Amino acid sequence: MKLVAIGAGQAGGKVLDRLLEHDARHPGTFLAHAVAVNTAEPDLQALDAVPEESRLLIGQSTVGGHGTGTDPETGRECAREAESEIQSAIDHAPTSSIDGFVVIAGLGGGTGSGAAPVIAERLRAVYAEPVYGLGILPTADEGGLYSRNAADSLQAFVGATDGLLVFDNDAFKSSGETLSEGYGAINEEIATRFGTLFSAGELEALGDDIAESVVDASEIINTLEGLVSVGYASEELPDDAGDDGGLLGRVLGGSDDDSIGSDAVVQIPALVRRAALGKLTLPCNLASTSKALLIVAGPPEHLSRKGIDNARSWLESEIDCREVRAGDYPLPDADRVAALVVLSGVTDVPRIDRMQSQAVDAETAETSEAESEDAMQDLIEYGDDSDGDGAT
Ligand code: GDP
């Protein structure tokens, strides 16, 4: 599908950078235009792939290019003040030939957290195409302030979009390295999963000979709603997988059997099970999914229709949902087969419950700290009875 992408804040810009790189490595292009928006000048300068002219510094009169200091309210204000500038930066894109927009942000900080819902709202008011969000949740150990920012922003962002794709840093951080050391690998994971989803619906590069089974943009649009989590698994093809005389040659010579136990090179149902039951971008209870989309990507000769149908039936029963779409994404030069499982409208998400209680605890702690500061002030002040209650 063709998208205009807007990265807000530091994480939003960095992820946009990775998506642009992912796009450049694949046939066709799903990013019609990319804009990075930030209140912090150094963060904009640190970007690689976003073109210089598409980096927009906002809120200069308020924060002077120094960022919001993790304050989403400032991020919101800066975005509101710069709405028309952001709009003009987006209008450079051929917006008449796109399928939608995606606004990307880390929700735990200040700029992205505050600005992303404002930008999404504006886009939705101006354009007829759907507006999606890609929201990154902080790790639990980033603390109460980040959780509170993210809990508030998540609520606003989901309301301002036609579907919010969520990525939980907490689920993907690896032990033994700091979070910032791990961002490289995490951002690559984000680009692989969401880049595969967006590029799957981009059919221009496939030429005229498109099989009916290929996923298109309308199927993606019809699937995305509410909170969206994505599972992914891939398997490298052996070097001789394309040789006509080898094992694959026999399998591809007409056999469409991809059930477990057959000698197909990649067992699609097994791959799909790994994608759905492995790490999800937002860990959730699969049974709470309202719509799902299964995409199997790889060299066309490895995309067994029967394998995909079997995998789809399994997914339908596993998530107990009847609206499950499935299709393939042919990538003639790929060295692997990948399965992407998109779970849309999920409602049972313990991670969000935990983040919300961490946010409430942070608020309670802040209130009681303020109260005890007031009490201390009352205790040490004397000689001024300005409130007229007779006490000194
Ligand atoms: P902002 O610039 O004020 O919007 O704040 P940041 O984007 O720096 O940080 C907000 C959240 O995003 C925090 O929870 C960070 O852990 C997370 N974050 C920052 N940089 C990255 C990144 O490169 N990748 C990912 N996945 N998360 C990041």
Side-chain angles (χ1 to χ4, degrees), residues 39-340:
T39 59
E41 201 165 11
D43 291 347
L44 281 179
Q45 284 165 348
L47 298 174
D48 299 316
V50 178
E52 299 255 350
E53 66 278 12
S54 300
R55 303 177 192 180
L56 187 63
L57 184 64
I58 60 167
Q60 263 169 300
S61 59
T62 320
V63 299
H66 299 301
T68 64
T70 329
D71 176 23
E73 188 47 49
T74 308
R76 249 190 308 277
E77 270 169 39
C78 294
R80 282 209 187 98
E81 278 165 21
E83 266 186 340
S84 50
E85 273 173 82
I86 298 172
Q87 170 89 54
S88 330
I90 291 165
D91 278 339
H92 282 120
T95 42
S96 55
S97 58
I98 62 160
D99 298 303
F101 296 86
V102 60
V103 182
I104 310 161
L107 305 188
T111 302
S113 175
V118 173
I119 297 171
E121 238 166 59
R122 168 82 178 206
L123 292 173
R124 248 177 148 195
V126 174
Y127 300 98
E129 288 78 15
V131 177
Y132 301 109
L134 198 179
I136 299 161
L137 302 185
T139 60
D141 50 22
E142 282 181 278
L145 172 65
Y146 280 74
S147 289
R148 196 169 70 183
N149 290 349
D152 289 346
S153 180
L154 185 83
Q155 203 176 350
F157 208 11
V158 78
T161 55
D162 295 285
L164 179 59
L165 306 153
V166 187
F167 186 93
D168 180 18
N169 276 348
D170 208 55
F172 285 82
K173 68 173 192 231
S174 16
S175 53
E177 60 183 5
T178 65
L179 188 57
S180 51
E181 282 167 350
Y183 280 151
I186 289 181
N187 291 351
E188 208 45 57
E189 188 77 46
I190 297 176
T192 301
R193 293 184 181 220
F194 298 112
T196 303
L197 170 63
F198 298 140
S199 56
E202 186 40 42
L203 303 183
E204 239 170 47
L206 302 176
D208 294 334
D209 194 18
I210 299 166
E212 216 179 285
S213 54
V214 173
V215 166
D216 65 19
S218 69
E219 284 171 291
I220 300 175
I221 291 168
N222 286 330
T223 303
L224 298 180
E225 66 175 27
L227 294 178
V228 181
S229 178
V230 172
Y232 177 87
S234 74
E235 198 162 313
E236 210 167 321
L237 292 164
D239 284 343
D240 63 350
D243 297 350
D244 281 352
L247 169 67
L248 181 66
R250 293 204 308 278
V251 174
L252 299 179
S255 166
D256 206 17
D257 180 8
D258 205 1
S259 58
I260 297 299
S262 83
D263 54 356
V265 170
V266 175
Q267 309 282 343
I268 290 175
L271 193 63
V272 170
R273 271 197 291 277
R274 265 173 48 209
L277 303 177
K279 227 186 247 188
L280 299 172
T281 59
L282 178 65
C284 61
N285 177 357
L286 297 192
S288 72
T289 303
S290 73
K291 291 178 180 179
L293 171 66
L294 163 65
I295 300 171
V296 185
E301 63 274 21
H302 291 257
L303 306 178
S304 144
R305 190 64 226 166
K306 191 169 171 199
I308 297 176
D309 285 345
N310 288 345
R312 176 217 184 117
S313 306
W314 171 81
L315 191 61
E316 265 169 3
S317 62
E318 188 69 20
I319 64 180
D320 194 19
C321 147
R322 254 170 283 157
E323 207 169 332
V324 178
R325 297 176 173 84
D328 52 55
Y329 172 23
L331 287 169
D333 298 328
D335 61 356
R336 56 184 58 236
V337 174
L340 194 79

